[in-house]
Amino acid sequence: MREQRSPPAGAHGGHAPPRHVGVIMDGNGRWAATRGLPRIEGHRRGLEALRRTVRAAGDLGIEHLTVYSFSSENWRRPAQEVADLMGLLKRFIRNDLADLHRNGVRVRVIGSRDDLSSDIRTLLVEAEELTRANTNMTLHVAFNYGSRQEIAVAARRLAEDVVAGRIDPAEIDEKALEARLYTAGAPDPDLIIRTSGEERLSNFLLWQAAYSEFVFLPVHWPDFDASALAEALSIYMNRQRRFGGLGPAATAGNAMTGS
Ligand code: FPP
């Protein structure tokens, strides 16, 4: 997924806008609970927040937006809630695909397709095929996604390539593994936002987030909007990114380990 090995623009100064933003859309259930509404209502409003966010990200020139919409662990939820989330994915693709395409958004769906119904699998392929050549922004929808599973699958693909003689084990490096992740070809996320006040990655982009900045906002996802996105970007742009090197503070002789 990584395109750069040396610090990109914005390293040391931290003022370049992010090319790639990942979002953990959390707090739908709590949003609904505080209003005495069923959880599905929180997810429905969450879908509206997702639409707003895609538009706002496009307006801000973000090239890649990755949204965590169903984790491989979400199957543990009650069957009705799982069915509701599947229904919302279908609704999103059916209702919004034409609009996304008109706005030059490429849609990629990352995650395992194995457990998805055949109508959903067909819709996902249709969305990816229709928007394949779009270049304004790429929306990566993480659905039935789990980062450990993604890395394990990449390792399996490498093993298969070794057995088939396509790659020598001595050639296996970070790039070889990255090329086999669901996110192959996209830059690493510069910024990962999580809403609802929780502060963890929950199996989201573990490999890709090695040097991401994290911004945790107290707002529940259904209330997320363009101004919340702008706030997260402003926090990000005031951060100093060092990518393991030394920041300007080193010149003053007080740098720590550079991380
Ligand atoms: C986390 O909130 C959110 C989810 C598990 C689902 C996210 C789904 C959407 C934003 C809308 C649907 C969009 C698509 C494309 C399917 P939570 O339910 O864990 O909230 P809680 O922690 O407050 O209970």
Side-chain angles (χ1 to χ4, degrees):
M1 188 173 194
R2 215 175 312 166
E3 281 179 347
Q4 71 274 328
R5 279 292 182 271
S6 53
H12 307 314
H15 293 288
R19 290 184 63 198
H20 184 175
V21 176
V23 187
I24 303 175
M25 309 183 288
D26 197 10
N28 293 351
R30 277 163 287 166
W31 181 93
T34 55
R35 287 159 179 81
L37 297 168
R39 292 178 60 83
I40 175 63
E41 197 49 39
H43 294 315
R44 281 197 199 111
R45 296 292 288 263
L47 180 55
E48 287 171 24
L50 173 59
R51 292 185 175 119
R52 286 196 294 274
T53 304
V54 173
R55 274 196 301 272
D59 291 345
L60 289 165
I62 290 167
E63 294 169 51
H64 296 266
L65 179 69
T66 302
V67 294
Y68 204 8
S69 51
F70 190 88
S71 80
S72 43
E73 289 73 37
N74 285 152
W75 294 102
R76 295 182 195 141
R77 295 190 176 202
Q80 185 56 55
E81 183 166 346
V82 169
D84 289 341
L85 288 166
M86 297 289 155
L88 282 182
L89 177 70
K90 286 197 235 179
R91 188 189 295 186
F92 180 56
I93 302 287
R94 287 196 181 121
N95 293 358
D96 295 48
L97 185 59
D99 212 34
L100 292 166
H101 186 43
R102 209 170 20 251
N103 288 312
V105 177
R106 179 177 181 187
V107 178
R108 285 176 75 181
V109 183
I110 60 171
S112 169
R113 310 251 166 128
D114 292 347
D115 311 308
L116 302 179
S117 63
S118 64
D119 60 335
I120 289 190
R121 284 206 299 259
T122 306
L123 271 179
L124 301 186
V125 171
E126 195 183 304
E128 291 181 328
E129 289 301 320
L130 177 72
T131 62
R132 184 169 295 281
N134 291 345
T135 53
N136 284 351
M137 185 175 86
T138 302
L139 173 65
H140 307 258
V141 180
F143 197 88
N144 195 20
Y145 174 86
S147 194
R148 288 181 172 180
Q149 188 260 1
E150 174 185 39
I151 294 166
V153 168
R156 192 195 308 149
R157 288 178 182 162
L158 275 173
E160 287 164 357
D161 287 344
V162 167
V163 170
R166 288 188 288 266
I167 187 168
D168 191 298
E171 290 165 12
I172 295 176
D173 57 9
E174 291 176 28
K175 270 199 155 112
L177 194 131
E178 280 170 0
R180 289 160 179 83
L181 295 174
Y182 295 132
T183 51
D188 283 346
D190 303 293
L191 165 65
I192 292 183
I193 301 168
R194 184 169 188 150
T195 58
S196 89
E198 304 292 341
E199 300 190 356
R200 57 181 172 273
L201 261 182
S202 301
N203 208 10
F204 183 57
L205 303 180
L206 300 182
W207 173 288
Q208 299 88 338
Y211 284 98
S212 301
E213 295 292 327
F214 297 93
V215 170
F216 301 106
L217 297 176
V219 63
H220 288 320
W221 178 251
D223 288 330
F224 195 86
D225 59 10
S227 71
L229 181 63
E231 181 191 345
L233 259 61
S234 144
I235 294 169
Y236 165 84
M237 286 160 78
N238 283 302
R239 296 258 176 92
Q240 187 194 94
R241 303 184 77 195
R242 299 207 297 267
F243 296 94
L246 298 179
T251 54
N254 61 351
M256 301 291 281
T257 49
S259 54

